[in-house]
Amino acid sequence: MESNQFSRFHEVYSEALSCYSAQMVDRVEPNTAFTSSPTKAVMCVAEETKLYQTESNQQQWVEVLVDCPGIQGLYTYYLPTDLIVNPGDIVSVPFGAQIIGGIAIRLCYTPPVDLELSRIRPIEDVITSGFFPQSYWQLLQQIAQYYCSDLMSVIRVALPPGLLGRSQRRIRLKLESIPPGAETFCSVVAGKILRLLQNQAEGDYSVNYLKNQIKGAIRGIRELNKRGWIESYLEPPRPIQAKLKTAVTLINDNFLLDLTSRQGEVLQILKNNGGEIWLTELIQLCRTTPATVKKLAQKGYVTLSEREILRKEQGIAQPQDIPKKLNQAQAKALASIQNLTGTAQILLHGVTGSGKTEVYLQAIAPILAAGKSALVLVPEIGLTPQLTDRFRARFGEQVCVYHSALSDGERYDTWRQMIQGEPQVVIGTRSAIFAPLPNLGLIVLDEEHDSSFKQTSPIPTYHARKVAQVRSQLENCPLILGSATPSLESWEQINHLPVENSEFYYLSLPERIQARSLPSIEIVDLREELNRGNRSIFSKSLQSALVQMKERGQQGILFIPRRGHSTFVSCRSCGYVVECPHCDVSLSYHYTHEGATPLLRCHYCNYVALQPKQCPECESPYLKFFGSGTQKVTQELNKLFPNLKCIRFDSDTTRTKGAHRQLLARFAAGEADILVGTQMLTKGLDVAGVTVVGVVAADGLLHRSDYRAGERAFQTLTQVAGRAGRGEETGRVIIQTYSPEHPVIKAVQEHDYVSFSNTELQQRAELNYPPYGNLILIKFSGVEEKQVQQTAEIVAERCINLLSSQTQILGPAPASIMRIARRYRWQILIKFATEEKEQLPDLNQLRSLCPQSVSMVIDVDPMNID
């Protein structure tokens, strides 16, 4: 049974957020910001480790970094005599007419000289404390600086949802004060608000809701408030509630004659189970009812108590696993890792199926034995089930999962137990890099090349690899970057190091485990298929491979870059393409099932429309579907091979919680012959029965307007090819393309990463693209096209004045997709040499040039610039 060690933590947090009340005022100014910069103040956190307590004869003030939309700065509050505050504590403070969360930065014995004492308000309460060690604060600060972001945005990414709460101003009717026919005595706006409240069962709405529903609602609220017909109040922030479970504890094992035979049986079973058990389990074991147990409590034999239990991702119970025997390359790599002390960066370059995960497992075992923890990051949520199962089979309950697909309660409780410092392995996606593990002994980035490690929204636009590198140095622990196709940044860093550098290492796993061969790769020219009269999306070679696979009782994977049925719908008479009304992209056709209503969907804003029966432009009935997605491949596969059972694995079929695990478990159990999917299945999938992999359309990866297109295409094709032949049977890969002569296709066919990377790096060097140069992409968006363009031009002009003549400023120019979700998009690309990084001015000053109606994002080291 889980202990109750976290109950006090939650009790303090809940009580702090449940006791707030306030009166609405028309306009209440927050405290005036203290003049020192947030950056300078935050650095003091590392220096001030002493616990401060207010003495009765000396007043203290606290500088707080507030969490409020549109506000970033330090605000001074005074410390009540009954509170204890430590730098780094999360506190609740009054801010205007609401109560919000903030971070205590430092304490002062004198207030700011330019701030009237009467305007300084008190800290309300301490929500929680003690989980921000010195290195953690330094990590957040460095990431904020590197990615040109405000510190609070980094803190919001690092903390679990619900920890920093915000109160909400609400309005409710005072029914006893409203006269009959009140609507006739007030303005039109006030009357609308009154009717809206009267039609609601409790006569209660938030101010934000009223503002969204009624234009000029604030004037109406003030009028109704002056008449005394409504009242305003602050609804406290709603913290995530602890999950409670009833425990039964035996307190008297001297069984007397007042017991029935059934009650005696229940007590005996309780005694045999150690004298304490969950009520639900006791009822199940005894096949009894809660009433029986409650009668035993009334007689004084047991007590019933509510205990908090931690909500964590519950995997499937795994049989105990033992370390595998390593081959020579694995053993050499493991020995090198275990000999490292302190900070170090290791590139573990292993071909697909070379046993990188087993090296991770055996490297982590002594870390846990030493009382430290390990952090393992994967790029996709879909990769966590298989990896978690392997880790739990080895380390049991010491393994936990942390990613955005967990419920808020699960993330909150997992985060809370991590700060306790117990040795454990945390497996998660990019946000888990901020997991608050006090004794971190090792960080692993599996598939380190994957672009999913880069955050695109919201800010900060961090890359988990960069954060891991910073954290490795601060925590003085090794970082392993594992991949079969390393990113060119990692490859260049390792291969051009000075000989005396002792913090970077290259370890190679050049062969598959048990000396299994890499799969053979066949390239099919789709132009020749058309010349032979084959108009199917499956080449003759792929069809033959699928038939043979079925006959041998084996399994296969079909990869297609896009989900949905068809890429776009076009009129064959006039060429009209059905487009999204909110974005400058075509709508994709989605097929659900036979006889279902045909739907068109936008993959950018999720707009959905019925498929027109005739062309909206010329009214022609001849509409044709172009392109192929996972739905169409599955549909065609069922028509051509009705005896093949297939599972579709893409973002449409994995929306529900646990869908990744369920679909992969079904496939691994042999319930399907074919797994059809997108990039989600190209990495980490290890099913021994898979012998055939088909890439239906490789051209969708090759021809993209981005300097990373070649690198991504090589990585994706190599990774998906690596899913084949992981068992006893040799794998076979068939890549269909209209460009068989493309250098990426040639390199994939030869399994030649080195020659591909050398060619690609040479092209990058000539154009001064990463890893030889640095990029910063400044992105603008807004609903008014002209205003967005003008803002971009103003910022570009300021950049020219701010930056050196050696820095290239490209743009401003419209984004490749100019409009998404009714918002117009422009951008500026800044290119500069690596050595100029330290001389760049603070780009955050550009934000002052941006009106509130235009959003500006500074994306440092962007992965996409199209």
Side-chain angles (χ1 to χ4, degrees), residues 264-420:
E265 180 183 345
V266 172
L267 289 176
Q268 189 60 50
I269 291 175
L270 179 58
K271 185 176 180 180
N272 294 341
N273 281 272
E276 189 171 61
I277 195 172
W278 296 119
L279 176 60
T280 53
E281 295 178 13
L282 181 62
I283 290 172
Q284 187 176 6
L285 282 173
C286 302
R287 297 182 181 179
T288 185
T289 63
T292 303
V293 182
K294 289 179 180 178
K295 288 180 181 178
L296 290 171
Q298 292 171 0
K299 291 182 178 182
Y301 287 98
V302 301
T303 59
L304 302 177
S305 57
E306 294 292 311
R307 305 279 183 85
E308 180 187 356
I309 61 172
L310 291 178
R311 292 159 289 201
K312 296 193 295 184
E313 188 268 349
Q314 301 297 323
I316 300 172
Q318 302 295 319
Q320 183 65 36
D321 181 36
I322 60 174
K324 306 291 190 299
K325 183 178 180 179
L326 304 180
N327 61 31
Q328 186 176 358
Q330 287 177 302
K332 182 179 179 181
L334 178 63
S336 299
I337 293 170
Q338 291 179 335
N339 287 334
L340 296 175
T341 57
T343 181
Q345 183 172 313
I346 306 105
L347 176 59
L348 183 60
H349 182 196
V351 299
T352 55
S354 59
K356 292 185 290 295
T357 303
E358 184 63 29
V359 174
Y360 302 155
L361 288 164
Q362 296 195 29
I364 287 172
I367 298 291
L368 296 176
K372 294 185 177 183
S373 295
L375 181 57
V376 180
L377 300 187
V378 293
E380 301 271 4
I381 292 173
L383 295 180
T384 56
Q386 271 200 330
L387 194 66
T388 303
D389 289 347
R390 285 198 62 181
F391 272 75
R392 281 183 173 149
R394 190 71 57 90
F395 303 125
E397 293 301 315
Q398 287 183 290
V399 178
C400 65
V401 178
Y402 190 79
H403 54 66
S404 60
L406 301 178
S407 69
D408 286 355
E410 287 173 331
R411 291 177 69 186
Y412 178 66
D413 283 357
T414 302
W415 185 88
R416 287 165 55 204
Q417 68 87 19
M418 283 190 287
I419 67 177
Q420 302 301 311

Side-chain angles (χ1 to χ4, degrees), residues 26 100 115 137 184 194 273 313 364 373 399 513 524 550 593 640 642 652 759 799 811 819 846:
D26 288 344
I100 64 175
L115 184 60
W137 264 110
T184 60
L194 200 57
N273 281 272
E313 188 268 349
I364 287 172
S373 295
V399 178
I513 57 174
V524 174
K550 179 64 175 178
H593 57 83
L640 197 59
D652 289 331
T759 302
C799 287
R819 188 175 57 117
L846 299 175

Side-chain angles (χ1 to χ4, degrees), residues 478-659:
L479 164 65
I480 300 177
L481 304 175
S483 177
T485 54
S487 64
L488 293 183
E489 284 83 355
S490 296
W491 183 254
E492 174 67 8
Q493 186 178 29
I494 294 298
N495 284 278
H496 287 81
L497 289 172
V499 177
E500 65 275 9
N501 192 305
S502 60
E503 293 186 2
F504 296 87
Y505 302 86
Y506 174 76
L507 302 176
S508 176
L509 302 179
E511 297 179 354
R512 285 188 159 187
I513 57 174
Q514 299 179 5
R516 292 169 183 156
S517 60
L518 289 168
S520 62
I521 298 179
E522 176 185 350
I523 309 299
V524 174
D525 189 343
L526 291 178
R527 297 171 298 185
E528 293 184 5
E529 290 290 314
L530 286 175
N531 291 335
R532 293 169 185 167
N534 179 19
R535 299 190 176 277
S536 168
I537 60 176
F538 306 116
S539 64
K540 293 297 183 182
S541 182
L542 182 54
Q543 292 180 34
S544 174
L546 294 176
V547 170
Q548 294 175 17
M549 177 203 73
K550 179 64 175 178
E551 291 173 349
R552 296 171 182 170
Q554 299 165 351
Q555 293 175 291
I557 288 175
L558 292 182
F559 167 72
I560 187 76
R562 297 179 181 273
R563 62 189 173 99
H565 184 279
S566 300
T567 309
F568 64 95
V569 180
S570 177
C571 174
R572 287 189 291 179
S573 298
C574 70
Y576 173 83
V577 175
V578 183
E579 294 187 342
C580 174
H582 311 310
C583 310
D584 292 337
V585 295
S586 59
L587 293 177
S588 299
Y589 170 57
H590 277 245
Y591 172 87
T592 52
H593 57 83
E594 191 70 31
T597 303
L599 294 177
L600 302 180
R601 185 186 300 276
C602 176
H603 287 178
Y604 286 86
C605 72
N606 214 31
Y607 169 82
V608 178
L610 295 176
Q611 180 199 333
K613 295 183 178 179
Q614 56 188 24
C615 174
E617 191 76 14
C618 69
E619 299 185 350
S620 168
Y622 302 111
L623 296 175
K624 183 175 175 60
F625 302 122
F626 290 87
S628 299
T630 50
Q631 286 183 334
K632 185 175 182 180
V633 171
T634 304
Q635 189 179 7
E636 293 297 317
L637 193 65
N638 290 332
K639 289 180 182 179
L640 197 59
F641 303 101
N643 61 329
L644 285 179
K645 298 178 181 177
C646 61
I647 292 176
R648 187 160 58 92
F649 190 70
D650 57 26
S651 57
D652 289 331
T653 61
T654 56
R655 294 184 187 278
T656 59
K657 186 177 180 180

Side-chain angles (χ1 to χ4, degrees), residues 780 786-796 849-851 854:
F780 306 87
K786 195 66 177 176
Q787 189 177 37
V788 175
Q789 179 181 350
Q790 290 174 347
T791 302
E793 291 170 349
I794 292 171
V795 172
L849 304 174
C850 203
V854 176

Side-chain angles (χ1 to χ4, degrees), residues 793-812:
E793 291 170 349
I794 292 171
V795 172
E797 186 67 28
R798 178 64 64 87
C799 287
I800 293 173
N801 297 328
L802 277 177
L803 304 175
S804 72
S805 58
Q806 302 299 317
T807 302
Q808 285 184 276
I809 300 173
L810 306 179

